[in-house]
Amino acid sequence: MKKTALLILLASLSMVSCKKKGCTDENAVNYSAEAKKDDGSCTYYETPSTYQFTDNDGKSTVSYSGQTDRLNQMEEMTTYMKSGNSSALSGANLKAMFMNTGDNGGGNFSFSSSKQMMDKCFPSDTALFIDWIDSLVIASADHASTASAGQAGTLSSGTSTYLFDANGKEFVQLIEKGLMGAVFMYQATNVYLGTSKMDVDNTTAVDAAAGKYYTKMEHHWDEAFGYFGAPVDFPTNTTDARFWAKYCNKRDAELGCNATMMNAFLAGRTAIVNNDMTTRDQSISTIVSAWERFCAAQAVAYFQGAQNNFGTDDAKFLHELSEAYAFVMCLKYVPVETRVINFSTIDDILSNTIGNNFWAVTNTDLTTAINELNSTYGF
């Protein structure tokens, strides 16, 4: 039933080429009474096929450079973390990257930016990621050892090598995917698409003299889009998709989530330009729902991957289990008002079904986690 409703909403968002923004016909596509012109006449607006918006003078009103900086920081931090497969890591360096010390990650970033990930992290989990960084550093000291139950070290599968702690956790994956949720998803769905950032001025350019031709509302919507990590021509272009957009594309064949997400981002941004708050809010609902759904589907896919390697390839088993664990964790960053899965179920999967020792996870445990998510989301 939920899937049907989502498809119906997507269909309505796709039919925006003749939005009647001033008509009194409530059956018109995306009818918006609050956007009606004073003289009652009909006007139309079209949604662009790419994420490109301009003002009446043709100047771009799109800006999410801060989000791009944080995605770049996460990429470079991940590259450094993976070097722990062959050498000991520095906790000071990783923490400097997380908090962007000196605007260049303590000299560890290849670029300068005033932005950082730590101050945008879900507040109560900042300490958790600091602890995970410490655990990764400790594990990296044993990179030359072969990982086994109770022993940190590395394991290889084909040409890939992974670093695990004594409990079989791959902290590179837990930190990277965890921050995708605690920073990128949390900021996009709870903050920038939330009431405090949406119920703001939508009439005046922030600072046209400084090249900021967007309104506050337009800018906040752009920042949410920036955290999604999609290129402006997504999903035609999936090659340049990063982080969440990349995983959205991984699940597109089964969920059709690429078009759902991009059409909603485009429709909502166009609605803001045209002062159509009804369509804007429908778009927010679609984005948040679809984001949660493909996140859960990715967790299932990784649990299934772990199952396929159970007992035959410990490196791939622990690697995919670590990723599955992180994606389940990400579900808690979906706005609680609309989240399909409740926190107790998330905690049960993480704390009880999987637990702290990944070496002790059984095939039955994996089946239990998969069935719980499938049942919750109707996969």
Side-chain angles (χ1 to χ4, degrees):
M1 194 71 178
K2 291 177 182 175
K3 183 177 181 181
T4 301
L6 186 61
L7 290 174
I8 291 173
L9 179 55
L10 173 58
S12 70
L13 289 174
S14 298
M15 298 170 59
V16 295
S17 60
C18 60
K19 154 74 169 71
K20 298 187 177 182
K21 175 198 165 184
C23 300
T24 56
D25 176 10
E26 296 187 21
N27 294 316
V29 177
N30 292 338
Y31 170 80
S32 176
E34 63 268 34
K36 185 173 64 176
K37 293 179 69 176
D38 291 339
D39 62 3
S41 62
C42 296
T43 58
Y44 303 83
Y45 71 68
E46 294 186 2
T47 300
S49 59
T50 61
Y51 203 90
Q52 295 172 304
F53 298 88
T54 60
D55 64 11
N56 292 332
D57 295 323
K59 297 182 177 66
S60 175
T61 59
V62 175
S63 176
Y64 47 88
S65 59
Q67 286 62 44
T68 299
D69 283 352
R70 291 186 180 90
L71 266 61
N72 291 340
Q73 289 170 356
M74 188 74 256
E75 283 188 344
E76 295 196 6
M77 185 174 171
T78 299
T79 297
Y80 177 63
M81 289 193 294
K82 288 182 177 179
S83 72
N85 297 346
S86 57
S87 61
L89 298 171
S90 163
N93 286 349
L94 279 172
K95 291 170 187 175
M97 296 172 90
F98 184 35
M99 63 185 67
N100 194 21
T101 303
D103 289 346
N104 62 1
N108 295 289
F109 289 139
S110 65
F111 62 97
S112 294
S113 171
S114 62
K115 309 302 180 183
Q116 62 169 273
M117 287 184 285
M118 192 172 80
D119 68 354
K120 295 296 182 180
C121 185
F122 185 71
S124 61
D125 282 347
T126 301
L128 171 66
F129 288 103
I130 294 295
D131 287 344
W132 280 1
I133 287 172
D134 289 337
S135 295
L136 173 60
V137 171
I138 292 170
S140 73
D142 286 325
H143 66 272
S145 300
T146 299
S148 60
Q151 173 62 55
T154 55
L155 292 173
S156 297
S157 177
T159 59
S160 299
T161 298
Y162 311 103
L163 174 69
F164 304 101
D165 81 336
N167 288 318
K169 295 178 178 179
E170 187 186 3
F171 280 100
V172 172
Q173 300 303 325
L174 295 179
I175 294 169
E176 180 193 26
K177 273 64 178 187
L179 287 176
M180 280 172 54
V183 178
F184 303 164
M185 176 192 271
Y186 166 68
Q187 285 293 324
T189 62
N190 283 273
V191 180
Y192 286 101
L193 297 181
T195 303
S196 65
K197 293 289 189 179
M198 283 292 101
D199 291 350
V200 293
D201 180 71
N202 191 40
T203 59
T204 308
V206 170
D207 189 352
K212 299 178 180 180
Y213 303 108
Y214 43 78
T215 67
K216 286 184 179 179
M217 191 187 299
E218 288 172 337
H219 185 46
H220 293 163
W221 188 274
D222 292 342
E223 290 177 299
F225 177 73
Y227 278 124
F228 179 49
V232 297
D233 52 349
F234 186 80
T236 300
N237 172 13
T238 57
T239 302
D240 298 322
R242 300 199 288 169
F243 296 105
W244 283 111
K246 181 183 75 172
Y247 284 100
C248 181
N249 185 56
K250 284 179 179 289
R251 305 272 58 87
D252 184 61
E254 64 200 75
L255 301 178
C257 44
N258 282 356
T260 302
M261 290 292 288
M262 193 62 176
N263 286 350
F265 268 118
L266 291 171
R269 183 57 158 81
T270 307
I272 289 173
V273 172
N274 289 274
N275 198 36
D276 177 4
M277 298 302 110
T278 298
T279 300
R280 181 204 68 176
D281 291 346
Q282 289 174 343
S283 299
I284 291 172
S285 178
T286 298
I287 290 166
V288 173
S289 175
W291 204 325
E292 177 183 5
R293 189 169 176 78
F294 80 75
C295 175
Q298 188 59 51
V300 170
Y302 276 130
F303 277 131
Q304 291 171 333
Q307 225 173 19
N308 291 339
N309 290 288
F310 181 79
T312 60
D313 187 334
D314 286 342
K316 292 292 288 185
F317 163 69
L318 294 172
H319 169 68
E320 300 217 37
L321 179 56
S322 296
E323 293 190 287
Y325 185 99
F327 274 100
V328 172
M329 175 182 163
C330 284
L331 293 171
K332 75 176 186 176
Y333 302 115
V334 177
V336 65
E337 298 83 3
T338 60
R339 193 173 62 213
V340 174
I341 193 169
N342 57 54
F343 183 79
S344 62
T345 301
I346 296 172
D347 185 59
D348 184 55
I349 293 173
L350 298 181
S351 302
N352 299 323
T353 303
I354 304 304
N356 186 56
N357 185 2
F358 286 11
W359 286 105
V361 173
T362 67
N363 193 48
T364 299
D365 294 330
L366 296 173
T367 298
T368 298
I370 291 168
N371 289 344
E372 187 67 63
L373 291 170
N374 283 343
S375 175
T376 299
Y377 291 96
F379 294 142

